[in-house]
Amino acid sequence: MLKLGGVTPRLYSQVLRLAASCNIHTTLSTFSELKAEENEEFRTLELRSKKFVRQPARVMKSHNVVPPRYKRQKVDQDWGNVWPAARTFHPASVPLPVRQGYPASGQVTPDKWGNAELMKIPNFLHLTPPVIKRQCEALKKFCTPWPSGIETAAEQEKYFPVMVSKSTYLHSSPTLRDQKARIVTLRVSLKSLDLDDHGRDKLLRLVKNRHDPTTDCLTIVADRCPLSQQNYDYCFYLLTVLYNESMKTEPWEHEKEVADRERYIWEGSPSQAALQAIIDSNEDSTPEEVIEEYKKVVIDLHNEGEDEPTLSRYRDSVMKLVGLA
Amino acid sequence: MTAVYMTQSWRACSSLRLGHSLFSNGLLRGLHTTQAAHKAQAGRYRVTRNRSKPLTYEMANQPCQIAHRKSWNSWNTTSLYEGLREPETVVDDIFIRKFMTGTWHNLFVSEVIIKRQHNMIRIAGIVQRKIAARKMYFLIGYCEELLSYWLKCPVKLELQTVPDKKDVVYKYI
């Protein structure tokens, strides 16, 4: 045991430090006297392990946040400059007090701050009426007036009888391709093609169901080529070939028989022969209009089919012919 | 492996005797089953005793409320009639969500919202203000740049920040 008398605490602590560095065994029973006076200089020796003392939670520095943008916006600002393109809703930039959502019990509708629902939905803040007006004004200089001389549908049909249509498709994806964009449709009215009876009949036989009898329009759809330009050329090629073929008369076409005819023809038919026999056997000459009416009615009956009106007209005509009406 | 048969008219609690292979030491091990419960438990959170679990609006509304009180997180034209590229878009969306939540460590307090418009992808969401604004700008640029390279189209991030995640809490259960 080190006996120290009349020594200052400073010297004592220096000696202790020296002792500690040299690993000299010391007891500190005299410490308690000195501790009371000079607490700061001497460390307390804890023989028992300290209880775990929870450290205070790390306080995150709150970063200086710029005040929301709407506070700096004038009332008469140009909104088109604030929101020029489509953008997700941003509550600090939009000065409107909008709310969205189903309120929890006892709460109000959730406001715009931290509202994911408002961000999810598409907004049209970039398309306010003044902005649309401005865009239309800007586009006007690229527009040309409608050409004169083709205002009415009849004139358009006369000067531009062929109508070609195709569709382009837009998807929200990185690819541009859509196979349906190669389809080209060509529509033309048969009135605009100068065809005689034989030509029209031949054309209708060639195109079959591509002709619509109610509108008298021929529709050609081409999708067999990979590009729409190729399909467009193919459509016009088909139209050219159809027209030229229907204008031509092949030598074997005279072999057309009565059963092949597309409509009933009065001249040379058995009905005409029968009528002639009736007229000849009749003493008084039958009037011309009765003959004409009978002819017309029989043609209608064959071409338009047998239904109430045609049958009743046929009956009336026969009555007049026979003389019973 | 012995086959296990279960008839359709099995009612309530039933024990199923398995084959000889499980008969060992004179003990029989069986399988106790009940009628199929057909419970829906997707997207539903269990109520706590002391109402301590915070839920956002998204979490509070169950999947059956989509199109009624909730909207979709992913907007694109792939599910329309003759829309193209649907499976690739779904996989891209999964990747974007994982990437965003991973890059912004514990910072997202809402779902990642993905909108596709023309050939652009616009990613939106709500983020906490736990990091400095400069770091946020860096992360925004980093995400936009890398995602546009991976997904081969322009990517734009449109984030909203809240000071604390308590600001997006809708209710406690």
Side-chain angles (χ1 to χ4, degrees):
Chain A
M1 184 178 129
L2 230 59
K3 220 168 162 80
L4 299 161
V7 72
T8 58
R10 195 182 159 79
L11 184 59
Y12 190 92
S13 65
Q14 278 174 1
V15 166
L16 269 177
R17 261 185 248 128
L18 183 66
S21 61
C22 300
N23 272 336
I24 297 171
H25 176 66
T26 55
T27 54
L28 296 162
S29 52
T30 47
F31 245 173
S32 48
E33 305 162 34
L34 297 161
K35 201 167 71 166
E37 287 181 62
E38 305 284 350
N39 269 2
E40 301 85 14
E41 291 230 19
F42 298 96
R43 293 169 293 163
T44 51
L45 174 71
E46 304 285 337
L47 288 170
R48 288 213 181 105
S49 63
K50 267 197 283 214
K51 253 194 189 161
F52 174 69
V53 171
R54 187 181 284 276
Q55 300 287 338
R58 195 209 303 199
V59 174
M60 299 300 237
K61 290 188 286 211
S62 67
H63 306 280
N64 294 333
V65 181
V66 183
R69 190 173 283 268
Y70 70 86
K71 294 206 162 101
R72 301 184 54 192
Q73 290 173 345
K74 293 193 188 50
V75 175
D76 58 350
Q77 70 178 336
D78 183 11
W79 180 250
N81 287 336
V82 180
W83 211 273
R87 196 189 187 279
T88 314
F89 184 81
H90 192 241
S93 305
V94 177
L96 305 168
V98 289
R99 289 176 176 266
Q100 163 127 28
Y102 189 87
S105 62
Q107 306 288 326
V108 293
T109 315
D111 62 5
K112 63 178 182 174
W113 301 100
N115 195 331
E117 294 302 312
L118 271 171
M119 294 175 79
K120 287 179 196 175
I121 52 171
N123 64 66
F124 289 93
L125 292 164
H126 58 292
L127 290 175
T128 50
V131 169
I132 294 175
K133 195 162 176 204
R134 203 190 307 164
Q135 289 172 356
C136 289
E137 294 295 323
L139 286 171
K140 268 196 181 142
K141 66 174 184 284
F142 298 109
C143 299
T144 53
W146 185 258
S148 62
I150 43 165
E151 281 85 15
T152 60
E155 284 170 333
Q156 288 161 17
E157 185 66 33
K158 177 179 161 201
Y159 291 113
F160 298 97
V162 177
M163 194 153 75
V164 177
S165 55
K166 75 174 275 266
S167 299
T168 46
Y169 297 86
L170 193 64
H171 295 271
S172 64
S173 70
T175 57
L176 295 172
R177 316 281 165 222
D178 192 330
Q179 278 301 305
K180 300 192 296 289
R182 75 184 193 282
I183 302 170
V184 174
T185 308
L186 184 144
R187 260 173 69 100
V188 62
S189 173
L190 291 187
K191 286 192 280 294
S192 9
L193 303 171
D194 299 325
L195 289 167
D196 54 354
D197 268 345
H198 157 262
R200 191 192 154 87
D201 173 46
K202 191 167 176 191
L203 182 77
L204 291 179
R205 280 172 198 270
L206 284 170
V207 303
K208 295 186 184 132
N209 63 344
R210 291 181 190 78
H211 172 255
D212 185 12
T214 48
T215 55
D216 199 29
C217 269
L218 168 66
T219 311
I220 302 173
V221 179
D223 66 346
R224 57 173 63 187
C225 305
L227 299 181
S228 64
Q229 179 63 37
Q230 296 166 343
N231 283 321
Y232 175 86
D233 294 338
Y234 183 62
C235 275
F236 274 99
Y237 160 76
L238 281 179
L239 187 66
T240 316
V241 162
L242 280 169
Y243 182 74
N244 289 330
E245 286 300 313
S246 37
M247 293 305 274
K248 276 190 267 186
T249 308
E250 300 284 336
W252 43 260
E253 284 186 38
H254 74 273
E255 291 167 25
K256 188 174 169 182
E257 292 177 20
V258 175
D260 296 325
R261 286 198 202 134
E262 70 282 2
R263 65 172 191 280
Y264 179 77
I265 296 169
W266 171 259
E267 287 73 20
S269 66
S271 293
Q272 190 190 33
L275 181 68
Q276 201 58 42
I278 292 170
I279 289 168
D280 294 340
S281 65
N282 204 357
E283 297 87 32
D284 329 318
S285 59
T286 44
E288 280 300 312
E289 56 265 20
V290 172
I291 296 171
E292 284 301 314
E293 194 194 331
Y294 181 77
K295 170 181 162 187
K296 186 174 163 311
V297 160
V298 169
I299 289 171
D300 282 346
L301 203 61
H302 280 261
N303 283 338
E304 288 171 30
E306 291 179 13
D307 49 356
E308 253 323 301
T310 43
L311 279 173
S312 60
R313 272 182 288 170
Y314 179 72
R315 187 184 60 231
D316 297 336
S317 170
V318 165
M319 304 281 248
K320 279 199 202 128
L321 193 69
V322 171
L324 290 173
Chain B
M1 181 78 169
T2 45
V4 175
Y5 289 97
M6 193 160 153
T7 57
Q8 282 194 345
S9 54
W10 218 259
R11 291 264 170 235
C13 220
S14 60
S15 67
L16 204 63
R17 278 170 182 253
L18 291 175
H20 200 68
S21 54
L22 290 173
F23 188 87
S24 58
N25 302 330
L27 300 166
L28 196 68
R29 281 181 285 176
L31 191 66
H32 290 262
T33 59
T34 58
Q35 199 176 9
H38 295 301
K39 280 202 310 200
Q41 55 184 28
R44 290 159 175 83
Y45 295 87
R46 193 171 283 279
V47 175
T48 55
R49 282 196 201 187
N50 52 358
R51 301 261 144 184
S52 61
K53 179 152 180 68
L55 293 183
T56 60
Y57 188 88
E58 176 96 34
M59 293 154 76
N61 286 303
Q62 299 163 355
C64 61
Q65 297 287 6
I66 292 174
H68 296 266
R69 297 184 193 174
K70 236 162 75 149
S71 185
W72 286 269
N73 289 330
S74 194
W75 291 77
N76 47 53
T77 60
T78 54
S79 61
L80 299 176
Y81 174 65
E82 290 183 346
L84 301 176
R85 242 181 141 253
E86 188 166 7
E88 290 92 340
T89 306
V90 169
V91 170
D92 283 347
D93 276 3
I94 294 170
F95 171 73
I96 291 171
R97 293 202 159 93
K98 275 191 185 290
F99 179 78
M100 292 300 288
T101 40
T103 312
W104 299 74
H105 299 132
N106 275 345
L107 290 172
F108 263 90
V109 286
S110 74
E111 292 290 329
V112 177
I113 297 159
I114 302 173
K115 298 186 191 179
R116 281 178 171 75
Q117 191 168 24
H118 305 143
N119 77 330
M120 271 205 315
I121 299 180
R122 297 192 352 246
I123 302 171
I126 307 178
V127 168
Q128 295 181 65
R129 284 187 213 133
K130 271 184 172 180
I131 54 174
R134 287 185 71 180
K135 296 190 180 177
M136 285 208 171
Y137 290 135
F138 168 75
L139 280 178
I140 290 171
Y142 167 85
C143 291
E144 286 186 0
E145 189 73 15
L146 289 186
L147 281 173
S148 66
Y149 274 110
W150 280 322
L151 303 168
K152 300 280 181 283
C153 48
V155 173
K156 288 196 176 317
L157 254 61
E158 293 160 355
L159 303 175
Q160 188 193 139
T161 57
V162 286
D164 194 25
K165 62 182 172 202
K166 291 197 192 58
D167 296 331
V168 292
V169 171
Y170 174 70
K171 67 181 191 180
Y172 291 87
I173 59 163

